[in-house]
Amino acid sequence: MRAFNAELSKLFSLPGIWLAFLIGAFAPAVIAALDSIAQKEEIIAGLSTRLSEVGYIGLGLGVQGVIILGVLAVSSEYLAESSESGGGQQITTSLTVVSSRIHFLLAKAGAVTVISILLSVVAIMTTVSATHLVLGEYTPAFEWPKLLGAVCYWAFTALLAFGITVLTKHGMIPLAVLIINTSFVSFSFLLSKVTKLALYLPDRAGFEMFMFLSNRFLTPFKGGLVMFAWVVVLFIAAAIVFHRRDVAS
Amino acid sequence: MSFPSSKKITRILGAELDKLVTLPSIWITLTGTFILNLLLAASFTSVGLQGTAGTQSILSIGLASMRYLQAGFIILGILATCSEYNGGQIRTTLTTIPWRGIQLSTKHFALAIIIIPAAFIIAASGVLYTFTMMKDTAVVIEIDTMIKTLLGATGYLTCTTLLSAAIGALFRRTTPALVVLLGYYFVVSPLTRDFPTIRKYFPDTAGSYMYMPPSPNEINVLTPMQGTGISMLWTLIFITVAIVLFRKRDA
């Protein structure tokens, strides 16, 4: 528990974390608002084919905030200080204080999960109010199971980012790959055109939890399960690698 | 402070080139981008082969990976300027080259020297792959259109890299610069597709007209030359802002 508190305090004092909070809280709302403005007329006329996606598209594409959170949580530990102040890495201090590596990793993952869940709740509030602001009485009702799916999607995405960064130790590659993958030109979407297996990739499966895709593949629950399986596999891999790796290397 | 002579500028350029060439992450990023581009070209080609034969041009399929490809070049640009701030290298740099404006503009110039051939090779490899795979099915194109498009693509990637380098110099930290640029290029910019009147003047959209093959059913709002001009203007504006701030700020 004390390790968990320490991880929370470390996360909140990171220099880049304000960016994660800012993007996490407002990017979904902005995306949802832009999308709603674009198809407002169609919705009012009752012609929209994407009525069930209104608002959720913001929550689906606006996960950059938690990606930054998950990546920064790990990459900040490995960031070397400048040579003028000793060139040390925070990870050596962290592991001196919490000597069990598994405990350290679990505490960190716990802190990331808690913050990303809180962030997703904030994001849902801003997104729902932004959609209401734009569409007024035409806003489709937001259902609790789907919102819960969105929360799970955010938490799982943060943990995926966390796990990948533990493996790479450097923030740039996971950040670039994951941010591109959340965008309109995602790799998994491209791959899903090549092979049906790509629909089992974590983000495609996670989408099924709260988005009604035109060609549905998995049920929301199964989608969540597939994404959770990815998270678990990645976390186990990260734990094994982290357990065996020399920190200084 | 006295203005450095032309001989000194050559030496500064040499030093900046040296620093970029010896940065290991530059080579890792370039190799990674090259491999990734081939993989993407392969998947786009296989999607194209599934489609109706004879309707798509090799160029538009070969360059379809450009959207992803630019991410690698954005990373390159950020690495080039932010690596100075990783540790205290910038102080050593400024001790030996005490002309800040010249130092930063030479850095951009040195970056362009490395990027132009790299961008050309990477863009050409994607098109070449598509060409070898699809030469039986797709529409044949003349060689001069191909070269013109490839030059446009090279120019676009170079502009993107230099713009990213300028943004990197503004933020001085890798993560925020990367997040802002990737967020703009991959999330914000596609979102504004519903507002085409302003969007065509954005750096990435204007730049994309440099290599986009003109399609008959879509009105190309900018000519390649206009696109080049606007995209270069954006790059120059950002470089200027970066240089002005670099001269004012505490390193």
Side-chain angles (χ1 to χ4, degrees), chain A residues 15 18-19 23 31 34-35 37-38 50 61 64 68 72 80 82-84 171-172 175-176 179-180 182-187 190-191 193-194, chain B residues 36 40 43-44 46-47 50 67-68 71 75 78-79 86-88 91 173-176 178-180 182-183 186-187 190-195:
Chain A
W18 55 269
L19 192 69
I23 291 178
I31 294 176
L34 278 175
D35 185 57
I37 291 171
R50 292 168 48 224
L61 298 174
Q64 291 87 10
I68 302 170
L72 269 185
S82 72
S83 54
E84 292 149 359
M172 247 177 157
L175 209 55
I179 286 186
I180 294 170
T182 60
S183 71
F184 286 95
V185 287
S186 79
F187 295 122
L190 174 67
L191 279 178
K193 283 186 188 163
V194 180
Chain B
L36 203 70
L40 281 169
S43 47
F44 273 114
S46 87
V47 172
Q50 285 167 18
R67 287 212 63 104
Y68 303 91
I75 294 179
I78 294 174
L79 276 177
N86 205 345
R91 284 185 277 281
R173 277 175 187 277
T174 319
T175 314
L178 190 66
V179 169
V180 166
L182 288 181
F186 288 97
V187 181
L191 265 180
T192 53
R193 67 180 186 277
D194 298 311
F195 312 96

Side-chain angles (χ1 to χ4, degrees), chain B residues 107-130:
Chain B
K107 191 180 234 4
H108 282 100
F109 192 60
L111 188 62
I113 292 178
I114 296 182
I115 289 304
I116 290 172
F120 187 78
I121 291 170
I122 291 179
S125 72
V127 175
L128 205 67
Y129 177 84
T130 320

Side-chain angles (χ1 to χ4, degrees), chain B:
Chain B
M1 191 167 291
S2 67
F3 197 77
S5 64
S6 62
K7 194 181 165 201
K8 260 186 191 149
I9 288 194
T10 330
R11 284 170 68 190
I12 295 174
L13 184 64
E16 291 294 340
L17 264 178
D18 221 19
K19 274 196 284 187
L20 286 178
V21 169
T22 50
L23 208 60
S25 29
I26 293 260
W27 297 111
I28 296 173
T29 317
L30 272 180
T31 328
T33 314
F34 182 75
I35 294 168
L36 203 70
N37 180 48
L38 280 186
L39 289 178
L40 281 169
S43 47
F44 273 114
T45 311
S46 87
V47 172
L49 283 173
Q50 285 167 18
T52 44
T55 48
Q56 293 130 318
S57 87
I58 291 170
L59 272 180
S60 60
I61 295 174
L63 288 174
S65 56
M66 283 288 283
R67 287 212 63 104
Y68 303 91
L69 193 56
Q70 59 188 2
F73 285 86
I74 289 172
I75 294 179
L76 275 180
I78 294 174
L79 276 177
T81 40
C82 285
S83 65
E84 291 266 358
Y85 295 96
N86 205 345
Q89 200 192 49
I90 187 71
R91 284 185 277 281
T92 318
T93 306
L94 288 179
T95 312
T96 46
I97 311 169
W99 308 277
R100 291 196 176 191
I102 290 170
Q103 192 267 328
L104 197 59
S105 27
T106 326
K107 191 180 234 4
H108 282 100
F109 192 60
L111 188 62
I113 292 178
I114 296 182
I115 289 304
I116 290 172
F120 187 78
I121 291 170
I122 291 179
S125 72
V127 175
L128 205 67
Y129 177 84
T130 320
F131 182 72
T132 48
M133 296 302 285
M134 298 188 70
K135 58 176 176 257
D136 308 325
T137 51
V139 182
V140 183
I141 32 155
E142 297 106 64
I143 197 83
D144 57 331
T145 337
M146 184 131 130
I147 288 177
K148 221 181 270 176
T149 316
L150 278 180
L151 283 182
T154 312
Y156 172 69
L157 288 175
T158 313
C159 275
T160 310
T161 317
L162 293 181
L163 196 135
S164 314
I167 300 276
L170 282 176
F171 279 97
R172 301 196 278 189
R173 277 175 187 277
T174 319
T175 314
L178 190 66
V179 169
V180 166
L181 279 168
L182 288 181
Y184 169 71
Y185 274 93
F186 288 97
V187 181
V188 177
S189 168
L191 265 180
T192 53
R193 67 180 186 277
D194 298 311
F195 312 96
T197 38
I198 28 168
R199 193 185 171 217
K200 67 178 178 191
Y201 296 112
F202 284 2
D204 60 328
T205 326
S208 68
Y209 290 113
M210 288 162 72
Y211 63 86
M212 209 110 91
S215 51
N217 51 353
E218 191 185 338
I219 311 148
N220 260 18
V221 272
L222 294 177
T223 62
M225 276 334 271
Q226 281 172 320
T228 316
I230 292 173
S231 154
M232 278 170 91
L233 199 67
W234 276 102
T235 312
L236 284 180
I237 290 173
F238 275 109
I239 294 178
T240 319
V241 172
I243 289 177
V244 169
L245 275 181
F246 185 55
R247 286 174 62 101
K248 297 266 178 229
R249 278 199 294 202
D250 185 15

Side-chain angles (χ1 to χ4, degrees), chain A residues 209-242:
Chain A
M209 284 193 283
F210 60 101
M211 296 266 279
F212 276 125
L213 301 167
S214 40
N215 44 353
R216 229 188 150 68
F217 188 64
L218 298 164
T219 61
F221 182 70
K222 266 191 193 160
L225 221 56
V226 170
M227 193 171 182
F228 185 65
W230 275 96
V231 171
V232 169
V233 168
L234 201 65
F235 196 82
I236 291 174
I240 293 173
V241 169
F242 186 64

